[in-house]
Amino acid sequence: MGNSSLVRCIYKSKKTSNDISIPFPSLTSDGIYENTHAPWAWVVGFWPGLLWLLYEKEHYDPFKNIAISREDIMDGALDEYVNIHHDVGFMWQLTSVKQWELLGTEKGVVDQIILKNNDAIYDYPLVSDGHT
């Protein structure tokens, strides 16, 4: 991706993050975002995951703040076993793992341990790298 493409992506994401903020958009209907309210839905990791990737490039605090707030909502799914499914590990790999990589937060390690204990995560980068 060329630099101008990245600049456009960041610009559009700043505008979109102002419109969407913390709720998770999963589709549009008549040009209006509709939110996914189920924290265990397999798609909920994409929005905060994208924001973490953009934060890594831009260090724009609203990206970080929205990603953290969105992940706090997602974390409710870790406490219930009824809706845990094979995509749960993937959801947090996009979020808490990236949060740990960029900010060094303990939360990323804890989430991975919870997911590993539930056999919901396939790759254990923090655990296998000796960070726990």
Side-chain angles (χ1 to χ4, degrees), residues 63-116:
F63 288 159
K64 174 185 77 174
N65 298 336
I66 293 169
I68 289 170
S69 295
R70 180 66 241 176
E71 190 177 335
D72 288 344
I73 294 167
M74 290 169 56
D75 284 347
L78 293 178
D79 296 330
E80 57 176 79
Y81 291 96
V82 174
N83 291 305
I84 290 264
H85 49 76
H86 69 276
D87 289 321
V88 170
F90 169 72
M91 292 159 49
W92 274 269
Q93 288 226 316
L94 299 173
T95 57
S96 64
V97 172
K98 199 63 174 172
Q99 184 180 151
W100 177 81
E101 289 175 355
L102 295 175
L103 305 180
T105 59
E106 184 177 288
K107 182 188 180 312
V109 176
V110 171
D111 286 352
Q112 284 190 67
I113 292 169
I114 291 168
L115 294 164
K116 180 180 183 224

Side-chain angles (χ1 to χ4, degrees), residues 112-124:
Q112 284 190 67
I113 292 169
I114 291 168
L115 294 164
K116 180 180 183 224
N117 287 337
N118 288 309
D119 290 328
I121 193 168
Y122 306 112
D123 184 19
Y124 319 106

Side-chain angles (χ1 to χ4, degrees), residues 8 13 17 27 30 35 37 41-42 49 51 55 58-59 64-66 84 92 95 102 104 109-110 119 124:
R8 282 196 317 271
S13 297
S17 68
L27 58 104
D30 296 323
N35 298 319
H37 299 286
W42 71 274
L51 293 172
Y55 176 77
E58 183 74 3
H59 296 285
K64 174 185 77 174
N65 298 336
I66 293 169
I84 290 264
W92 274 269
T95 57
L102 295 175
V109 176
V110 171
D119 290 328
Y124 319 106

Side-chain angles (χ1 to χ4, degrees), residues 35-49:
N35 298 319
T36 298
H37 299 286
W40 57 83
W42 71 274
V43 295
V44 301
F46 291 125
W47 178 232

